[in-house]
């Protein structure tokens, strides 16, 4: 009996387009990078020299005591606690039972961010350059694991920013509202989901519609923000420092400024080249980073470069566009916008 006709072969991929197998390889690579970074974070932070302080911070947040702003960042400790109760019985040591929840959520958020960021880069860059950008921001995670001992909310916040940008470009706007509500329970800087959406959507529909949606997102942030502050009593600001004290430290500490400059120096300046040639949405997204950077200087410590990682959401694609123009002269404009494909 003759074999069934398999039919015509599938059409060849467009020149330069990744194959399905290539996309699977990229996905596996990004997930493994997320696992490696989580393992590194476990060695440096979770099981670091301040692990006893982590236990105290965890318990104080769950008991709704402590200082602002960390006492209000309830989502990550609550998720870690719930997860640890499920997987903890499999662990022998108490520290493993507690930190297992934190590490599993860090793995999910870090890997999810790398995948979302790669898909975001595909909006403006061809496949090889998009992968380069994802690997670059993965490499930047390593130096960001210094100068702090808790802060479990940062990877979730970074993932929320990237996911909000991706949902906006995919026109899946209704998902932004639950995302904002959840992210606001994790960290105050979730408020930037609204301007990120505004920057990437502006000009594609009636301005009143875009502004109304951004205002609705702002309300979804404000309700949890005010609710947490009405619900949780705090004992003052962390460390007893004023904004003036923090700004002075950030602008006068040579060590802090040097570390931040080295962190940004290899890629951030490239983002400012060829400003007029960059996609308008990307230029607007870079401008959104200015108030965020001001908040870091006023309320953070610039040597904690984990706070500078969100800048990569806008600056890395812009930097790679400028770098590609110089390494591949005549390669043409960036990849046209369209539904981004999965890695």
């Amino acid at each position: 009996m003759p074999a069934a006709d398999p039919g015509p072969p599938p059409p060849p991929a467009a020149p330069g387009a990744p194959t399905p197998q290539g996309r699977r390889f990229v996905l596996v690579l990004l997930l493994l990078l997320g696992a490696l970074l989580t393992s590194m974070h476990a060695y440096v932070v979770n099981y670091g020299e301040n692990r006893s302080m982590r236990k105290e911070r965890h318990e104080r947040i769950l008991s709704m005591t402590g200082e602002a702003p960390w006492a209000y960042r309830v989502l990550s400790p609550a998720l870690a606690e719930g997860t640890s109760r499920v997987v903890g019985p499999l662990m022998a040591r108490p520290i493993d039972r507690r930190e297992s929840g934190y590490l599993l959520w860090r793995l999910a958020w870090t890997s999810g961010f790398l995948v979302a960021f790669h898909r975001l880069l595909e909006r403006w860059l061809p496949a090889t350059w998009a992968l380069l950008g994802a690997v670059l921001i993965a490499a930047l995670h390593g130096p960001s694991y210094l100068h702090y001992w808790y802060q479990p909310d940062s990877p979730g916040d970074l993932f929320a920013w990237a996911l909000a940008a991706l949902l906006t470009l995919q026109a899946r706007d209704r998902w932004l509202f639950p995302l904002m509500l959840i992210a606001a329970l994790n960290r105050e800087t979730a408020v930037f989901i609204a301007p990120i959406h505004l920057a990437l959507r502006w000009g594609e529909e009636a301005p009143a519609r875009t502004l109304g949606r951004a205002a609705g997102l702002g309300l979804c942030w404000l309700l949890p923000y005010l609710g947490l502050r009405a619900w949780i009593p705090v004992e003052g600001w962390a460390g007893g420092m004023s904004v003036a004290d923090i700004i002075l430290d950030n602008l006068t500490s040579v060590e802090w400024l040097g570390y931040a400059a080295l962190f940004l120096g290899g890629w951030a300046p490239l983002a400012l080249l060829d400003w007029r040639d960059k996609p308008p949405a990307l230029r607007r997204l870079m401008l959104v980073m200015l108030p965020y950077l001001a908040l870091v200087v006023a309320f953070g410590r610039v040597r904690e470069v984990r706070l500078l990682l969100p800048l990569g959401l806008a600056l890395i694609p812009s930097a790679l566009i400028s770098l590609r123009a110089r390494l591949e002269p005549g390669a043409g404009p960036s990849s046209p916008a369209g539904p981004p494909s999965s890695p």
Side-chain angles (χ1 to χ4, degrees), residues 69-70 146-149 151 187 237-242 245-247 249-251 253 256-257 259-260 295-308:
W70 52 262
L146 298 179
H147 302 303
Y148 71 93
W149 49 267
Q151 304 298 350
R187 191 175 176 89
W237 190 262
M241 297 183 68
S242 67
D245 293 332
I246 296 172
I247 293 175
D249 285 346
N250 283 332
L251 298 182
S253 174
W256 294 13
L257 290 171
Y259 193 62
L295 285 177
V296 171
V297 174
F299 295 101
R301 291 177 173 85
V302 294
R303 72 173 183 174
E304 294 185 35
V305 293
R306 66 182 174 84
L307 298 172
L308 303 179

Side-chain angles (χ1 to χ4, degrees), residues 92-181:
R93 299 182 301 172
I95 188 173
D96 296 327
R97 290 195 289 270
R98 184 182 69 252
E99 295 297 341
S100 61
Y102 280 111
L103 289 171
L104 285 172
W105 280 102
R106 179 168 287 273
L107 172 63
W109 278 327
T110 302
S111 301
F113 165 72
L114 293 177
V115 172
F117 185 62
H118 177 260
R119 297 189 68 182
L120 189 64
L121 286 167
E122 287 186 314
R123 304 296 301 214
W124 296 300
L125 291 157
T128 302
W129 286 89
L131 177 58
L132 173 62
V135 172
L136 172 59
I137 206 161
L140 292 171
H141 274 66
S144 77
Y145 292 164
L146 298 179
H147 302 303
Y148 71 93
W149 49 267
Y150 189 64
Q151 304 298 350
D153 44 80
S154 289
D157 194 52
L158 189 60
F159 172 62
W161 283 36
L163 185 58
L166 189 59
L167 290 172
T168 296
L169 291 174
Q170 292 176 333
R172 298 167 70 180
D173 301 330
R174 62 180 180 175
W175 293 104
L176 292 169
F177 297 97
L179 175 63
M180 177 67 97
L181 285 168

Side-chain angles (χ1 to χ4, degrees), residues 228-245:
L228 288 171
R229 279 148 184 78
W231 182 34
I232 301 173
V234 296
E235 303 166 3
W237 190 262
M241 297 183 68
S242 67
V243 173
D245 293 332

Side-chain angles (χ1 to χ4, degrees), residues 81-93 96-98 100:
E81 177 70 13
T83 303
S84 296
R85 291 183 180 182
V86 175
V87 301
L90 304 175
M91 310 292 175
R93 299 182 301 172
D96 296 327
R97 290 195 289 270
R98 184 182 69 252
S100 61

Side-chain angles (χ1 to χ4, degrees), residues 124 200 278-287 313-314 317-318 321:
W124 296 300
L200 295 176
K278 302 293 170 63
L282 189 53
R283 293 203 304 263
R284 292 191 296 267
L285 188 60
M286 284 192 281
L287 293 176
L313 192 72
S318 179
I321 289 173

